[in-house]
Amino acid sequence: MSDLPPHQNVALITFMVVVFTLFLVISFLFFYRIRRRLVRLEVAMTVKGEDGIPNSVISGSNDEIGRLEQSFNTMSSQLKMMRENEKQEGELRKQLIANLSHDLRTPLTVIRQHLHTLHSASSDPSHDSFNVINRKLDDIGKLMDNLLSYTLLSAGKYPMELKDTDILNELRDAAAEWYPVFEAEGFDIQIELPEESVIWCIDPFWFRMIIENLFQNVIRHAKSGRYIGIDYRELDGDAVVAIHDHGPGMTQSSDAKGAGIGLSIVALMLKEMKLQWKIDSRNTGTTVYISAPSLKLNKT
C-alpha cells in the first residue's frame, strides 16, 4: 500500500471504511429484523387472547423463523379447536344432564303414586320397606333437582335477583320448615339468632336453597350425632352464619348420594352472590360458616 501514490492510498482507505461501515449497517439491520421477529413471536406466546389461547402471528419469510412462526400458528389453531370442542362437549353434557333430570321426574312421580296406593292398601302401613322406599325416592328426587340446578348454574342460566334481605329472618323460616324433619330424626336442635335484623344483599331464594342443602347434608351425613346448631356470630371480624353438627365429619365415608352435588351448588351460589364460606370438619362434628366480609356486622 505504501508503494501507491498518496491519493490512491486515501481512496483505498476510504473504500475500505465505506465497505466496513456498509457491512456494519447491513449486519445491524439483519440482526435487528431477526430480533424484532423473535420478540414479536415471544410476545405472541405470552399474551393470551380472549379464549385464553395465544393469538396467531403473521408469518413472513420462509426461513427458519418463518417456519417457527408457522408451527406456532398451527399449534395455536389446534389449541383453539380443542377448546371449542371441549366447550361443545361441555354444553352437550350439561344439556344431557338437564334432559335426564327433567325426564326422570315423570317416572318418579308415578312410582311415588303407586307406592302411596300400596301403602294405603297394606294391612301393615307402618312396614319399614315402605318407609325405606319412600326415603330413597325422596333422595332421588332431591338428586334430580340438584343435577338440574347445578347444570343451570354452571351454564349461567339460573336467574339471580339480588336485593336487601334479612338473612336471620330467612334462617328462622328455614329452621321452622325443617324443625319437624329434625325432630322426627331425633335431633337436638339449638338455634341462637339475635332478634334484630341483619341485612345482606343476596338472592333470598338462592340463600334458602343454600341453607336447605346444608340441612339436607346434616340429615344424610351427620344423623349419628343427633344434633344441629344454627347461630349468627362474629368470626375474625366478619359476620358469619354457622351451622353445626356432631356427626363423624366429612372425611368419613357415607352411603348417602348427592351430597357432593349439593355442596357444589352451595359453592357456586355463594360465589355468584360474592359471599364466602368455610368448612371446619373433624371427627367430632362439622361446622359450615357463611360470611359477607365486606359487610362486617351489618345490623339494623
Side-chain angles (χ1 to χ4, degrees), residues 1 3 16 48 62 66 68 77-78 92 106 116-117 129 151 163 183 195 239 247 271 276:
M1 182 181 296
D3 296 337
M16 293 177 65
K48 298 180 179 180
N62 194 27
L68 180 61
S77 299
Q78 291 176 347
L92 289 174
T106 300
H116 178 72
T117 301
S129 296
T151 302
K163 60 183 179 180
E183 272 194 330
E195 293 298 328
K271 181 180 179 181
Q276 295 183 1

Side-chain angles (χ1 to χ4, degrees), residues 146-203:
N146 281 343
L147 280 172
L148 182 58
S149 298
Y150 182 76
T151 302
L152 293 174
L153 282 168
S154 301
K157 296 180 180 179
Y158 206 108
M160 179 178 67
E161 183 180 352
L162 297 177
K163 60 183 179 180
D164 289 342
T165 304
D166 183 357
I167 62 164
L168 298 187
N169 190 52
E170 293 294 328
L171 280 171
R172 293 188 191 96
D173 289 345
E177 290 180 7
W178 279 75
Y179 204 95
V181 179
F182 289 121
E183 272 194 330
E185 297 291 344
F187 273 67
D188 176 21
I189 309 166
Q190 299 291 331
I191 302 175
E192 298 181 8
L193 300 174
E195 293 298 328
E196 63 266 32
S197 298
V198 176
I199 306 300
W200 289 2
C201 185
I202 59 173
D203 184 311

Side-chain angles (χ1 to χ4, degrees), residues 237-257:
D238 293 329
V240 301
V241 171
I243 298 176
H244 325 265
D245 66 60
H246 289 171
M250 292 186 174
T251 58
Q252 302 295 321
S253 61
S254 171
D255 59 354
K257 304 299 181 182

